[in-house]
Amino acid sequence: MAAPGFREGGCVCGGLRFKAWGEPLRVTICHCLWCQRRTGTAFGTEVVYPEERVELLGETLVRYRHMSDESGRWLDVEFCGRCGGNLGFRLEAAPGIRTLPAGTFDDATWLSPAGQTFRQVFVRSRRDWADASPLVEMHERHFRN
Ligand SMILES: [Zn+2]
Ligand SMILES: [Zn+2]
């Protein structure tokens, strides 16, 4: 079956929707302490796209700029101001890309290590109660380091 032109998703309340065109560059499962805090769980699972291929629709977008205490660089988190749903982020360290959390796609069943490049990063702070797939490579810090 041919890949669709775009995939859709959004926040919990439906106030923010997105369209993501084409295939993602990669999927990054991030175990850093910042992702644990911003998601409220063990890790962030971010589908990474060139930013011009993601269209955000809706009136409830809020941005928060976080300064990394490790790198000193900014990360802009985007979320719904009504329901608090996490819609990913952009980061100074990787210009031109943005992420969409895997769980915000209406149908995320197409995401698989068999079809996309998956990486686990910052496994130095991985919680041992969250199992990791043996299909996915792991990096103590980021794969760029
Ligand atoms: Zn919402
Ligand atoms: Zn992280």
Side-chain angles (χ1 to χ4, degrees), residues 10-16 60 79-87:
C11 67
V12 172
C13 77
L16 273 185
T60 55
F79 56 97
C80 173
R82 187 161 64 196
C83 71
N86 160 27
L87 267 295

Side-chain angles (χ1 to χ4, degrees), residues 1-23:
M1 198 172 85
F6 60 85
R7 295 182 172 98
E8 295 181 84
C11 67
V12 172
C13 77
L16 273 185
R17 299 285 300 162
F18 64 77
K19 288 183 180 178
W21 300 82
E23 295 304 309

Side-chain angles (χ1 to χ4, degrees), residues 30-35 38 89 122:
C30 186
H31 298 271
C32 82
L33 297 175
W34 180 72
C35 284
R38 74 185 176 80
F89 57 87
F122 291 102

